[in-house]
């Protein structure tokens, strides 16, 4: 990174960061206009890409090893290659800017401060996959972002970076902003597509409705996260092989971590994937725990990721290891595969930190309220199950639960897990399963055997009637 870049006071990068996607975020001399972007070398990579064959662009993305930054961590170039060979239908590209995962707040910075980076990445991706129509799906809670991106699209159109015959090439591309209505389920790519089509956002069954084959209007559609599409520009600039040297094997490039909760310095941090550990992130970049407190647990990839205790140990083979070995929590590398080996997921990079002042029943109740509110209601296990989980944890938090309720809560979660059309079922059930597994004693301590046989509210009466009838 150039030493001449000046950032607003308090927003300077930590020495442990590697700013690439966030290079321009909170710069003192920066604004989201196209004039400023062009002065910094903007759209040069689009010019370069248009001189390359579309398949060559896709091959560079594959060589880079870029994995999606929206949650699943699936290789972006491989996804692009899923468009059926010999396809004669239109191909569409969608930037998923819904960013509804609790604990995640990275994409909105790009939309607000560096929208042309996204537009350039989308234009390169559209050239690679043969898309002539693209959409930026922005959640309703980002009204200012929608205005800024719409203005940026107008600027790009006037400068011939989108529209007809882009930069004199026989390639047309139009990009539109589409505003969602503020539903978590629209972060799921097929639910997003249903919403774009003007329908209730019920996710589709996969297979057969994999978007790359049967997506928007039953045509091949590539859906990528905002951060993922921004990386495309840098891959073309560096070349896929050079980009793959960032990070660690199988976990290349940089990624942005959104850290919130009980640390001294919460915020965003862009780091090389796998080059830092949880301990370095929390104690160095984030300044450690608050005074007089110690770290208790971390949700590593947004609220749907399984919680990890800070005193637990795991045995696995990290990307830089020759053989499996035991890791304490603070030694776990921050890469997709290591976090998965510990039983959780890197997800969208939303790191939620809990210190020893936090009530685990309160944490679980908070999560269950969110998922009960956001279930689309299409699948019965999820529609009914998330409501029951909320009711049980409400009783738990109010001191009206019995020890049996903890077992019932776990049973309900496991009857949702793996039994729904989309991954929302897992998003709602995994936090419950993990918290019960790792903090059962704390949950049981919030119950009382004296509550058994004397329900204190209608929901408890109904639950006991149901259990007795089984």
């Amino acid at each position: 990174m150039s030493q001449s870049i000046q950032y607003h006071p308090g927003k300077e990068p930590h020495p442990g960061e590697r700013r690439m996607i966030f290079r321009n975020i909170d710069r003192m001399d920066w604004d989201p206009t196209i004039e400023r972007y062009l002065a910094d070398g903007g759209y040069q990579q689009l010019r370069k890409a248009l001189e390359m064959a579309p398949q060559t662009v896709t091959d560079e993305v594959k060589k880079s090893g870029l994995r999606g930054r929206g949650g699943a961590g699936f290789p972006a170039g491989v996804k692009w290659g899923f468009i059926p060979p010999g396809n004669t239908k239109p191909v569409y590209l969608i930037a998923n800017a819904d960013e509804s995962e609790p604990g995640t707040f990275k994409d909105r910075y790009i939309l607000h401060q560096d929208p042309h980076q996204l537009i350039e990445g989308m234009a390169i991706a559209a050239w690679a996959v043969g898309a002539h129509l693209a959409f930026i799906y922005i959640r309703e809670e980002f009204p200012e972002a929608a205005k800024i991106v719409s203005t940026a699209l107008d600027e790009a159109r006037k400068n011939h970076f989108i529209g007809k015959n882009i930069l004199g090439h026989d390639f047309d591309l139009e990009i539109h902003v589409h505003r969602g209505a503020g539903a978590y389920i629209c972060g799921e790519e097929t639910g997003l597509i249903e919403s774009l089509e003007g329908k209730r956002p019920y996710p589709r069954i996969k297979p057969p409705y994999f978007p790359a084959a049967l997506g928007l209007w039953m045509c091949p559609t590539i859906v990528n996260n905002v951060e993922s599409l921004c990386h495309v520009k840098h891959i073309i600039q560096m070349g896929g092989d050079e980009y793959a040297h960032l990070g660690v094997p199988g976990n290349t490039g940089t990624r942005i971590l959104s850290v919130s909760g009980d640390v001294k310095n919460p915020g965003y941090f862009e780091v090389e994937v796998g080059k830092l550990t949880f301990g370095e992130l929390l104690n160095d970049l984030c300044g450690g725990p608050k005074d007089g407190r110690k770290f208790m647990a971390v949700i590593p990839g947004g609220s749907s990721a399984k919680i990890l205790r800070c005193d637990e140990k795991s045995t696995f083979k990290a990307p830089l290891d020759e053989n499996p070995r035991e890791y304490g929590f603070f030694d776990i590398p921050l890469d997709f595969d290591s976090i998965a080996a510990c039983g959780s997921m890197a997800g969208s990079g939303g790191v939620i930190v809990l210190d020893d002042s936090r009530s685990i029943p309160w944490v679980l109740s908070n999560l269950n309220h969110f998922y009960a509110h956001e279930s689309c209601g299409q699948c019965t296990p999820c529609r009914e199950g998330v409501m029951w989980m909320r009711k049980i944890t409400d009783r738990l938090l109010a001191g009206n639960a019995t020890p049996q309720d903890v077992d019932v809560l776990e049973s309900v979660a496991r009857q949702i897990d793996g039994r729904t059309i989309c991954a929302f079922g897992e998003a709602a059930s995994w936090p419950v399963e993990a918290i019960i597994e790792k903090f059962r004693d704390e949950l049981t301590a919030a119950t009382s055997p004296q509550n058994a046989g004397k329900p204190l509210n209608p929901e408890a009466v109904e639950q006991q009637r149901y259990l007795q009838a089984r």
Side-chain angles (χ1 to χ4, degrees):
M1 185 180 353
S2 171
Q3 296 300 314
S4 63
I5 295 179
Q6 303 255 328
Y7 292 88
H8 290 290
K11 300 294 185 180
E12 301 87 354
H14 187 278
E17 289 189 70
R18 171 66 183 262
R19 290 277 182 95
M20 187 164 65
I21 306 303
F22 266 26
R23 177 177 179 269
N24 301 322
I25 303 303
D26 288 325
R27 278 178 64 172
M28 293 186 68
D29 62 343
W30 190 259
D31 61 57
T33 63
I34 196 168
E35 291 79 14
R36 188 66 191 83
Y37 189 71
L38 291 173
D40 208 54
Y43 289 105
Q44 290 302 314
Q45 306 319 311
L46 175 58
R47 295 179 187 274
K48 180 179 178 180
L50 291 175
E51 298 297 333
M52 303 163 62
Q55 185 59 48
T56 303
V57 175
T58 299
D59 290 342
E60 289 298 316
V61 175
K62 287 181 178 179
K63 285 191 291 185
S64 76
L66 174 67
R67 295 172 66 165
R69 302 302 197 241
F74 191 81
V78 175
K79 177 187 277 192
W80 293 6
F82 285 162
I83 295 175
N87 169 63
T88 58
K89 297 179 180 179
V91 176
Y92 300 106
L93 174 69
I94 301 173
N96 185 346
D98 191 70
E99 193 167 54
S100 50
E101 181 73 9
T104 310
F105 49 87
K106 58 188 176 65
D107 292 345
R108 69 192 72 182
Y109 281 98
I110 299 169
L111 299 174
H112 276 253
Q113 298 189 38
D114 204 3
H116 285 285
Q117 181 181 200
L118 170 61
I119 295 168
E120 183 173 12
M122 289 185 69
I124 295 170
W127 169 248
V129 302
H132 299 285
L133 181 59
F135 297 90
I136 303 174
Y137 188 101
I138 299 179
R139 67 183 292 99
E140 177 61 23
E141 288 87 344
F142 293 175
E144 191 63 26
K147 294 177 184 177
I148 292 169
V149 173
S150 295
T151 298
L153 287 172
D154 289 340
E155 293 174 333
R157 198 173 291 110
K158 290 176 182 176
N159 285 269
H160 308 293
F161 297 121
I162 60 174
K164 296 286 187 180
N165 300 318
I166 294 175
L167 296 174
H169 291 263
D170 186 21
F171 176 58
D172 302 339
L173 173 67
E174 190 52 72
I175 303 176
H176 298 289
V177 168
H178 182 96
R179 296 183 65 181
Y184 176 78
I185 197 64
C186 290
E188 196 280 333
E189 58 183 4
T190 62
L192 183 155
I193 288 170
E194 288 283 297
S195 174
L196 254 177
E197 292 181 358
K199 296 180 285 187
R200 184 185 294 270
Y202 280 166
R204 299 173 179 175
I205 297 174
K206 297 186 288 187
Y209 297 108
F210 290 111
L214 295 170
L216 188 62
W217 301 305
M218 292 296 111
C219 295
T221 305
I222 299 299
V223 183
N224 285 132
N225 166 263
V226 168
E227 183 187 350
S228 307
L229 287 164
C230 289
H231 278 278
V232 172
K233 165 191 170 171
H234 300 280
I235 291 168
I236 296 303
Q237 181 179 19
M238 302 171 65
D241 289 331
E242 184 64 27
Y243 180 94
H245 285 114
L246 298 174
V248 296
N251 297 264
T252 60
T254 66
R255 74 172 315 200
I256 304 158
L257 303 175
S258 313
V259 184
S260 61
D262 301 322
V263 292
K264 287 183 178 177
N265 303 316
Y268 58 78
F269 303 92
E270 185 174 2
V271 300
E272 287 190 57
V273 183
K275 289 294 183 71
L276 294 180
T277 64
F278 271 112
E280 290 169 323
L281 173 67
L282 300 183
N283 291 310
D284 189 5
L285 276 66
C286 295
K290 296 179 180 179
D291 292 340
R293 295 296 177 185
K294 61 182 180 179
F295 294 129
M296 177 178 64
V298 171
I299 303 174
S303 67
S304 58
K306 291 187 176 182
I307 197 168
L308 297 175
R309 288 183 66 122
C310 294
D311 58 0
E312 67 181 88
K313 297 183 183 295
S314 304
T315 300
F316 59 91
K317 181 179 179 294
L320 296 179
D321 291 339
E322 292 186 4
N323 298 296
R325 67 183 182 90
E326 186 178 78
Y327 281 88
F329 169 79
F330 293 106
D331 298 322
I332 298 171
L334 291 165
D335 65 78
F336 291 93
D337 299 329
S338 295
I339 296 174
C342 296
S344 189
M345 63 179 181
S348 57
V351 180
I352 304 171
V353 185
L354 307 173
D355 68 20
D356 57 357
S357 70
R358 294 293 174 180
S359 159
I360 287 297
W362 176 85
V363 171
L364 187 54
S365 178
N366 190 309
L367 293 172
N368 283 343
H369 269 260
F370 173 78
Y371 288 108
H373 181 269
E374 294 295 336
S375 174
C376 75
Q378 179 176 199
C379 305
T380 302
C382 180
R383 180 182 66 246
E384 300 297 323
V386 293
M387 294 297 183
W388 275 108
M389 292 195 302
R390 187 201 70 192
K391 290 174 181 177
I392 293 170
T393 49
D394 278 351
R395 288 208 303 277
L396 192 69
L397 197 59
N400 297 332
T402 72
Q404 181 190 31
D405 281 321
V406 178
D407 296 327
V408 174
L409 179 60
E410 183 177 27
S411 174
V412 173
R414 296 197 182 282
Q415 291 178 70
I416 300 172
D417 189 352
R419 291 172 171 83
T420 56
I421 287 174
C422 81
F424 186 100
E426 285 73 35
S429 61
W430 282 353
V432 176
E433 294 172 18
I435 288 176
I436 292 176
E437 176 189 351
K438 298 183 179 183
F439 292 95
R440 181 180 288 272
D441 289 347
E442 286 83 347
L443 297 173
T444 303
T447 69
S448 171
Q450 295 178 356
N451 291 325
K454 51 176 185 178
L456 301 179
N457 57 47
E459 288 78 17
V461 171
E462 178 62 18
Q463 180 186 309
Q464 287 208 348
R465 184 194 64 77
Y466 170 74
L467 290 172
Q468 291 166 0
R470 293 185 67 185

